[in-house]
Amino acid sequence: KNNLDRKLLLAFYRSSIESLLTYCVSTWYGNPIDIHKRKLFLWFSHLPQEEKQFGGYFSPETMHVDPLILERNPEERLGLLSPCLQTQNSSFPSVTVEQLFEPTDAWSEDRGINVLLYGAVGTGKSTVIRKLVLDWCTGTTLANFKLLVPFSCEDLNQLSKMASLRDLVSRKYLHLKKHPLLSGEGSQAKDVLFLFNGMEKIQLDFRIGSTELCSDPNEALLPGVVVVNLLRKYLLPEASILVTTRLSALDRIPQKYISRYAQICGFTDPDRQRAYFTSRLLQQSGKTAHNQEAQALIELLYLSLQRESQLAAACFLPSYCWLTCATLHFLHFTSINAPIRTLTGIYTSFLRLNFGGEVLGTGAGTNVPIQGHHSSLMLYVVRTVGKLAFDGVTYKRTSFSERELEQWIGGKTKTDEELRQLAMFRTDVLDFFLAPCVGNDKYLSQDLSENDERRYVFAVPAMQEYLAALYMVLGENKSALEKLTRQVSMAIGQATEDVNALMNILSKFIPLRIFAIFNLLKLFPKLFEKISSRNKGSIARTMAAEMFRTEDSYNEDVLDQVEQSLLGVHGPQPKQYSEGQPFELYPIFMGGLLHYGNRVLLQQLGCSIQSSTVAQITLALRKYLVRELSKPQPPEELMDLLVLLYEFQNPRLTAEVLASIRAIRLTNIRMTPIKCFVLSTVLSCTPPRLLCLLVSVVLSLQFNSLGPESCILLRDLLLDSKILIRSLQLCDNPLLDSGAHTLLESLPKNQSLTHLSLMHTGLGDKGALELAERLQQHTGLQELNVAYNNIGDNAALTLVDACREHPSIHTVHLYLNPLSDVGKKSLYVRGVLWGHGGSGRHVKVLASVTEGSDISEDWHPILSVIRENASSWDHERIKQQLKVFLTDLEWGRQQQQSFWKRLHFRKVEKGVKQTLQMLEKDTPSKRYHK
């Protein structure tokens, strides 16, 4: 009895001391729960590095959109793995995480609720948990729990030493050490919620013979045993528990220990997807213009999603919504002030977000710790799904049957461990990359008509090209002999290093013939190096061959193809000359994967690309690219080449390749701001010591949609002293006076420009006067084209006077401007005469097909320009100008006394009339409006 009294007294003193310590800590340092909330909020507010590429405008509160969560009946376990796309009309109720912890009829106060929240890769489990913790910290959800204790199962699995529950808590949350809510006394634990995220990453054994029972939170046990006893309700039975896991790990916790099941189904309707896009794209910055463009993008995206397109099928996973937003942000909101971002980097970051640190364990029932047998999950993806993607790119196929999936993914598995890994992979990961075909793709219609069996495609088309490129660059396409050669070479190389010293001694005693065998073995690694070098050369040859495929030469440039895959095609269908699906991103991704930043991220995913491999590929690639560029290339191919060099981010390679290009002609390329940025970055990455390799460039950006904002990048391009742009042609772009103002800011510091064309750019009197004012600050300009604008007589005369005073300008194009007859005659006189007092310069002014009463020497080039561009110009205005030309020609002909001169006038009149007839025959449907 005395011993019992003594134990009770000690327990009373212990409880009193803990209560006193808690009171003292809360008095001196603040309430431990408040401290816990503040620290949790800081930890969980931290965004991944990948989110910073959006410019830092996001926070978990503003960018979060709740995915669909459905409660499942425990009895229907066979239906737990049903695809989320089939749950849109499900009878299961939609719930929130907070509702899952509301009391039910089967609930009792002395036992907490165990909730199992599961979902496939990319459905948003981690995001939901992050938002849940932040909301608890701010008091907006789960207010009935005083304490929330989150654990990462991956962290717990790394612990090898035994520790009690309270030690596990205090190790991660020191401020909760000895907190009374975790003491196990009374029913205080009913106010505690434990959160175990990623249960598939820890080994749990619920067998009584393997895991001892424990109800003392102070008893030291292995972490897995502590978690098992919490779920069994032997340890702190009043506490509630939330566990998240993937589909393949559902059976690791027996059904009797789970109170409620809930499945995260992602964004199963376009409205949730639209809300996600709105929360991200509308927060690019406070600029109204950017928000207007973002709103337009959202509307186009929403239209694409409503068509039940393949994009809609992919975006039911929030991860692909993230990828879509990241790609559109890259295409439309890339800033010159932000760090360099590439398309390859976006896809690499996307995979790191979803598979960073993931390993492919052996699964349950093996009695082996998960970390005991594991391999990189991403490397497994490359060797299976990447192999399928590579086969599709090689044979120009985008859809695959179930039989082909069986053949390429796990078709050669033999051991039990490989079968278990394959089962986990198919359950958790395969649906992340491949989705059922919706059947409205023009490249799939033939396959579907030939065979009605279900076919699968990559969730987004570019992912197939990325994985195929990764498969190629990692060297996974080697033959079995090449792989065996590499393994043998490594083994012999290691053995050679170990026994080298021994062989040097034994060579004095071993017969010469026998010693020769050892020398052959030592030479084997060198032979492998030659074989390996040839393999790297084949990778470079493949990149160059895929870059300049003849059948893809006149397709839309690759950035336009990426945008159309997301937003769809609105208006006339883009030109497409290749019969099958073009894979023009494939070689560009191959180049981007060799960039150091992407290699670092891939190393974290378990996919290693050695620097020596990059050096060998780069050396061979330069040779192949220069060889291809010796042939004439269409503008679309040149634009794709610029994108490849931009993705590669290798200044030396860029300089050496650009040295072989005499002119960069991007006529008819839709030069969006991102393309201007790519062009500026590529041309400016050449270091000064290699400047001699870069010849002066002819930059043709005609027939684009360049607006005033694009002139910012063009101005920076002209201001870059490392870039020698000789000719800049900006015809048929709506630059307006504001864009011209920005562009002209570069004239004082640029001395390489000799030819500037601003024809049909919306230039008015204001822009022409500013151009006249700034011309004297640029002494190298020789020819200026401001034809087909809105320049009147006075502004035109001022501009010609400025050109006449300029030291090098010899030609000014002013035709197709609203000039009067008096104005044109004055321009001719100003240009021909030698200025006031005979001190000026002669400047050729092209204002019409006539010069005074004579025919202009340049009448034929003027008519040629009109014929070439008539389809995209305003027909009524051009016809009106041609009629003015006829009037000028008729007046000039009447002034001539010579028969031969009158005959010449007749010839020119005939050319003008033929051009006029061509315009009148041209129907509106044939016109191409920019």
Side-chain angles (χ1 to χ4, degrees):
K1 183 178 179 180
N2 292 335
N3 291 337
L4 179 61
D5 292 341
R6 188 179 295 109
K7 289 182 179 180
L8 292 174
L9 187 61
L10 288 175
F12 172 76
Y13 284 150
R14 179 184 298 175
S15 177
S16 300
I17 291 173
E18 288 183 358
S19 299
L20 179 61
L21 287 174
T22 302
Y23 173 77
C24 293
V25 170
S26 63
T27 302
W28 295 339
Y29 302 103
N31 191 321
I33 300 297
D34 294 335
I35 296 174
H36 184 60
K37 288 184 176 181
R38 288 197 298 270
K39 290 191 173 182
L40 273 187
F41 189 85
L42 290 175
W43 290 334
F44 281 81
S45 295
H46 176 73
L47 295 177
Q49 183 70 27
E50 286 78 6
E51 297 288 1
K52 296 181 180 179
Q53 65 180 315
F54 290 99
Y57 299 109
F58 302 112
S59 65
E61 295 81 9
T62 59
M63 69 181 183
H64 181 77
V65 176
D66 289 319
L68 177 66
I69 301 178
L70 298 179
E71 184 174 6
R72 299 293 195 181
N73 294 327
E75 295 79 12
E76 299 181 1
R77 298 189 61 79
L78 294 178
L80 293 175
L81 304 183
S82 61
C84 288
L85 285 175
Q86 300 175 6
T87 63
Q88 298 186 35
N89 300 320
S90 173
S91 59
F92 295 104
S94 173
V95 295
T96 63
V97 177
E98 185 175 22
Q99 291 173 339
L100 293 172
F101 289 96
E102 293 178 353
T104 60
D105 296 337
W107 177 77
S108 60
E109 292 187 0
D110 59 338
R111 293 179 68 85
I113 300 175
N114 290 352
V115 174
L116 181 59
L117 184 64
Y118 66 93
V121 178
T123 50
K125 297 185 298 296
S126 298
T127 305
V128 168
I129 294 303
R130 181 191 297 120
K131 186 65 167 54
L132 179 71
V133 173
L134 292 175
D135 287 347
W136 177 81
C137 293
T138 57
T140 56
T141 190
L142 297 174
N144 53 318
F145 294 107
K146 295 180 181 178
L147 181 60
L148 174 62
V149 186
F151 282 106
S152 166
C153 290
E154 185 178 8
D155 293 342
L156 292 177
N157 195 59
Q158 299 296 327
L159 300 177
S160 57
K161 295 182 179 180
M162 294 192 297
S164 66
L165 172 63
R166 303 191 76 172
D167 289 339
L168 288 176
V169 174
S170 61
R171 177 178 296 187
K172 189 168 185 180
Y173 309 106
L174 182 61
H175 46 274
L176 296 179
K177 187 175 184 179
K178 303 297 183 181
H179 198 281
L181 290 179
L182 302 173
S183 65
E185 297 179 0
S187 60
Q188 297 183 88
K190 66 181 177 60
D191 297 324
V192 179
L193 172 62
F194 289 100
L195 195 162
F196 296 101
N197 189 29
M199 188 265 293
E200 72 276 359
K201 299 177 183 178
I202 188 172
Q203 191 73 23
L204 301 179
D205 193 342
F206 285 85
R207 294 176 297 177
I208 298 296
S210 301
T211 305
E212 59 182 299
L213 301 177
C214 174
S215 61
D216 184 4
N218 297 297
E219 183 177 349
L221 301 167
L222 290 174
V225 178
V226 173
V227 176
V228 167
N229 279 283
L230 282 171
L231 290 168
R232 282 174 172 168
K233 297 304 180 186
Y234 273 89
L235 182 61
L236 300 186
E238 302 85 6
S240 295
I241 302 174
L242 174 62
V243 178
T244 68
T245 188
R246 291 183 179 171
L247 300 175
S248 63
L250 280 174
D251 292 332
R252 293 191 186 177
I253 303 178
Q255 179 182 339
K256 62 182 178 180
Y257 297 129
I258 299 299
S259 307
R260 306 177 81 168
Y261 289 92
Q263 181 180 10
I264 298 183
C265 297
F267 301 149
T268 57
D269 60 275
D271 290 334
R272 290 180 189 268
Q273 297 167 359
R274 181 173 185 170
Y276 183 93
F277 297 140
T278 302
S279 67
R280 285 181 173 267
L281 294 177
L282 279 182
Q283 297 187 46
Q284 306 304 327
S285 67
K287 296 182 180 180
T288 304
H290 279 190
N291 279 340
Q292 290 177 350
E293 183 176 359
Q295 189 64 54
L297 289 177
I298 293 169
E299 294 299 326
L300 292 176
L301 265 176
Y302 190 62
L303 289 174
S304 180
L305 296 173
Q306 286 181 317
R307 296 192 195 103
E308 297 183 355
S309 62
Q310 201 66 52
L311 178 65
C315 283
F316 92 89
L317 291 176
S319 291
Y320 279 104
C321 291
W322 182 93
L323 180 61
T324 300
C325 287
T327 305
L328 287 176
H329 188 277
F330 167 75
L331 293 175
H332 290 270
F333 301 107
T334 294
S335 171
I336 58 176
N337 299 319
I340 292 291
R341 293 184 295 115
T342 64
L343 196 60
T344 312
I346 289 174
Y347 275 76
T348 307
S349 298
F350 169 73
L351 293 178
R352 181 181 176 274
L353 274 175
N354 289 279
F355 299 101
E358 295 284 350
V359 296
L360 193 66
T362 56
T366 60
N367 296 324
V368 178
I370 286 183
Q371 299 298 333
H373 294 287
H374 69 270
S375 60
S376 165
L377 179 57
M378 192 63 228
L379 189 57
Y380 192 90
V381 168
V382 174
R383 291 172 176 172
T384 54
V385 184
K387 188 176 183 180
L388 177 72
F390 177 76
D391 180 75
V393 170
T394 303
Y395 296 102
K396 303 301 177 185
R397 298 167 57 242
T398 58
S399 68
F400 308 91
S401 65
E402 294 183 352
R403 180 179 55 82
E404 290 170 326
L405 295 185
E406 178 70 25
Q407 173 188 353
W408 289 107
I409 301 175
K412 298 182 180 180
T413 54
K414 297 179 181 179
T415 66
D416 291 342
E417 180 180 345
E418 289 176 339
L419 289 174
R420 281 191 292 267
Q421 288 183 342
L422 178 62
M424 293 177 62
F425 179 78
R426 284 179 170 172
T427 303
D428 291 338
V429 181
L430 188 58
D431 289 340
F432 180 82
F433 292 101
L434 295 168
C437 176
V438 297
N440 62 347
D441 194 318
K442 63 179 179 179
Y443 299 113
L444 303 176
S445 57
Q446 184 177 357
D447 294 338
L448 293 176
S449 61
E450 293 176 355
N451 197 337
D452 293 335
E453 67 176 320
R454 193 172 194 179
R455 301 190 70 84
Y456 294 85
V457 297
F458 281 83
V460 292
M463 183 58 70
Q464 178 179 354
E465 299 178 74
Y466 178 90
L467 290 177
L470 186 56
Y471 181 82
M472 183 74 175
V473 171
L474 288 176
E476 294 296 331
N477 65 317
K478 296 176 183 176
S479 65
L481 179 61
E482 289 176 318
K483 293 182 179 179
L484 179 63
T485 303
R486 182 175 185 270
Q487 295 171 358
V488 172
S489 173
M490 292 176 63
I492 293 177
Q494 293 173 358
T496 302
E497 293 176 1
D498 294 336
V499 302
N500 230 3
L502 182 61
M503 287 296 101
N504 290 332
I505 298 174
L506 296 180
S507 62
K508 299 178 181 179
F509 308 100
I510 297 177
L512 188 60
R513 294 180 180 178
I514 299 178
F515 186 70
I517 298 175
F518 289 98
N519 286 333
L520 288 176
L521 292 177
K522 292 170 65 177
L523 288 174
F524 195 89
K526 296 182 179 180
L527 178 62
F528 167 72
E529 289 181 4
K530 293 184 178 180
I531 297 175
S532 176
S533 177
R534 179 173 297 181
N535 182 63
K536 305 304 184 298
S538 68
I539 294 177
R541 185 168 57 253
T542 300
M543 291 175 63
E546 292 291 335
M547 269 301 297
F548 300 102
R549 291 177 63 90
T550 305
E551 59 267 34
D552 296 337
S553 295
Y554 294 94
N555 292 340
E556 296 284 330
D557 66 84
V558 69
L559 292 180
D560 278 353
Q561 291 180 31
V562 171
E563 185 176 58
Q564 290 164 7
S565 69
L566 298 177
L567 303 179
V569 179
H570 302 272
Q573 290 292 320
K575 53 187 178 182
Q576 186 76 39
Y577 295 90
S578 55
E579 295 181 358
Q581 166 74 41
F583 292 101
E584 298 184 66
L585 266 177
Y586 170 52
I588 292 175
F589 277 143
M590 291 175 67
L593 288 170
L594 301 179
H595 175 49
Y596 176 76
N598 290 320
R599 287 191 286 126
V600 170
L601 294 180
L602 289 171
Q603 181 70 39
Q604 298 172 11
L605 291 169
C607 302
S608 178
I609 303 175
Q610 301 299 327
S611 298
S612 58
T613 300
V614 176
Q616 291 175 348
I617 295 176
T618 303
L619 183 64
L621 180 63
R622 183 196 65 80
K623 178 180 66 175
Y624 289 119
L625 287 180
V626 171
R627 180 186 303 172
E628 291 292 337
L629 289 172
S630 63
K631 313 169 189 175
Q633 298 294 339
E636 292 82 3
E637 292 293 274
L638 285 178
M639 188 68 241
D640 290 349
L641 172 67
L642 294 175
V643 176
L644 170 65
L645 296 175
Y646 173 81
E647 295 282 326
F648 210 134
Q649 295 288 307
N650 187 319
R652 184 177 184 86
L653 173 69
T654 299
E656 293 174 349
V657 171
L658 290 179
S660 63
I661 303 178
R662 292 294 175 180
I664 301 179
R665 301 189 183 277
L666 301 177
T667 305
N668 293 328
I669 297 296
R670 188 176 65 96
M671 289 301 293
T672 58
I674 180 58
K675 295 177 188 176
C676 294
F677 181 77
V678 167
L679 176 65
S680 173
T681 304
V682 168
L683 292 181
S684 64
C685 72
T686 306
R689 62 187 179 86
L690 295 176
L691 181 60
C692 59
L693 297 177
L694 183 61
V695 299
S696 57
V697 174
V698 176
L699 189 55
S700 176
L701 303 175
Q702 297 176 223
F703 300 104
N704 285 286
S705 300
L706 296 178
E709 292 185 353
S710 301
C711 292
I712 299 175
L713 292 172
L714 292 173
R715 176 198 61 193
D716 296 340
L717 196 64
L718 291 171
L719 288 174
D720 196 321
S721 59
K722 299 191 295 294
I723 304 173
L724 306 179
I725 296 181
R726 176 167 50 87
S727 175
L728 180 59
Q729 301 176 19
L730 297 172
C731 318
D732 297 275
N733 290 291
L735 304 181
L736 307 179
D737 288 339
S738 57
H741 170 78
T742 303
L743 190 67
L744 295 176
E745 292 176 355
S746 63
L747 289 185
K749 295 184 179 180
N750 177 281
Q751 298 303 322
S752 64
L753 194 64
T754 60
H755 293 74
L756 176 61
S757 176
L758 297 174
M759 180 173 64
H760 195 203
T761 55
L763 200 66
D765 288 346
K766 181 180 178 181
L769 292 174
E770 183 175 1
L771 177 60
E773 182 181 350
R774 291 185 178 270
L775 278 180
Q776 302 305 321
Q777 300 172 348
H778 188 285
T779 58
L781 203 61
Q782 299 177 11
E783 185 172 354
L784 178 64
N785 189 341
V786 289
Y788 193 15
N789 281 296
N790 299 309
I791 303 174
D793 290 351
N794 294 332
L797 290 171
T798 304
L799 181 60
V800 170
D801 286 341
C803 293
R804 194 162 45 80
E805 298 295 332
H806 194 275
S808 58
I809 293 180
H810 55 72
T811 305
V812 183
H813 300 252
L814 279 165
Y815 47 89
L816 300 183
N817 277 291
L819 303 173
S820 64
D821 292 339
V822 176
K824 285 185 284 188
K825 293 177 181 178
S826 300
L827 290 173
Y828 170 69
V829 172
R830 294 282 184 95
V832 171
L833 296 184
W834 287 79
H836 302 291
S839 60
R841 293 179 59 256
H842 170 72
V843 175
K844 182 185 295 185
V845 180
L846 306 182
S848 178
V849 292
T850 59
E851 293 179 351
S853 60
D854 294 326
I855 293 178
S856 171
E857 296 178 358
D858 299 280
W859 69 268
H860 190 272
I862 292 175
L863 289 184
S864 297
V865 169
I866 294 175
R867 292 192 189 101
E868 291 173 0
N869 301 285
S871 60
S872 61
W873 285 355
D874 183 354
H875 281 203
E876 294 301 323
R877 178 173 173 179
I878 299 302
K879 287 191 289 185
Q880 182 180 359
Q881 289 291 329
L882 290 175
K883 292 176 181 178
V884 172
F885 286 172
L886 289 176
T887 303
D888 294 341
L889 288 169
E890 184 178 357
W891 179 84
R893 178 167 45 82
Q894 293 174 356
Q895 310 302 314
Q896 303 301 324
Q897 300 296 325
S898 169
F899 170 79
W900 300 110
K901 283 191 175 184
R902 289 199 301 270
L903 188 62
H904 193 194
F905 269 88
R906 293 285 188 185
K907 178 182 178 181
V908 178
E909 286 182 32
K910 182 179 179 182
V912 174
K913 289 179 180 179
Q914 288 176 344
T915 305
L916 189 59
Q917 291 175 357
M918 180 191 71
L919 290 174
E920 290 175 346
K921 291 180 180 179
D922 189 15
T923 59
S925 61
K926 295 181 181 179
R927 302 177 193 175
Y928 175 66
H929 292 285
K930 284 289 182 180

